[in-house]
Amino acid sequence: MLVILVNFVISNPQLVDFQLAGMQLPELKASTAVIAAFIVGGVCGLLASMVAIGRLRLANASFQRKLGRRDAELQKLRANALKGLS
């Protein structure tokens, strides 16, 4: 991966200028702009997935608590039913 990255940087030495919301940004190498965009996109994807995983873990914990309460209620009902048969 490092070899591909170095090859990409060496083969794209041209400078490009950017305008963002009417502001002129300093000139950057084309390879630097592409690599920076790739890294920013990866970080944003990781943050979004961490939020989704957090929500899923909270939902799973809630379901586990509900399941525990239902199991306890079921055991109590079974014990009461067995007492009634004796």
Side-chain angles (χ1 to χ4, degrees):
M1 189 70 173
L2 184 61
V3 173
I4 293 172
L5 181 66
V6 169
N7 185 22
F8 181 72
V9 170
I10 291 172
S11 63
N12 292 300
Q14 61 272 23
L15 294 175
V16 291
D17 56 340
F18 292 99
Q19 285 188 351
L20 180 66
M23 296 185 322
Q24 183 70 27
L25 299 176
E27 289 186 344
L28 296 171
K29 285 186 176 182
S31 59
T32 304
V34 171
I35 291 170
F38 181 74
I39 291 171
V40 169
V43 169
C44 289
L46 285 173
L47 291 175
S49 66
M50 286 173 58
V51 169
I53 288 172
R55 286 183 178 175
L56 288 172
R57 285 188 180 193
L58 286 174
N60 188 27
S62 173
F63 290 138
Q64 289 294 329
R65 285 190 300 272
K66 286 180 183 178
L67 183 61
R69 287 192 301 264
R70 298 221 172 111
D71 283 344
E73 182 180 358
L74 183 60
Q75 290 296 334
K76 185 190 293 185
L77 290 172
R78 285 182 181 161
N80 289 338
L82 290 177
K83 286 181 186 177
L85 292 177
S86 311

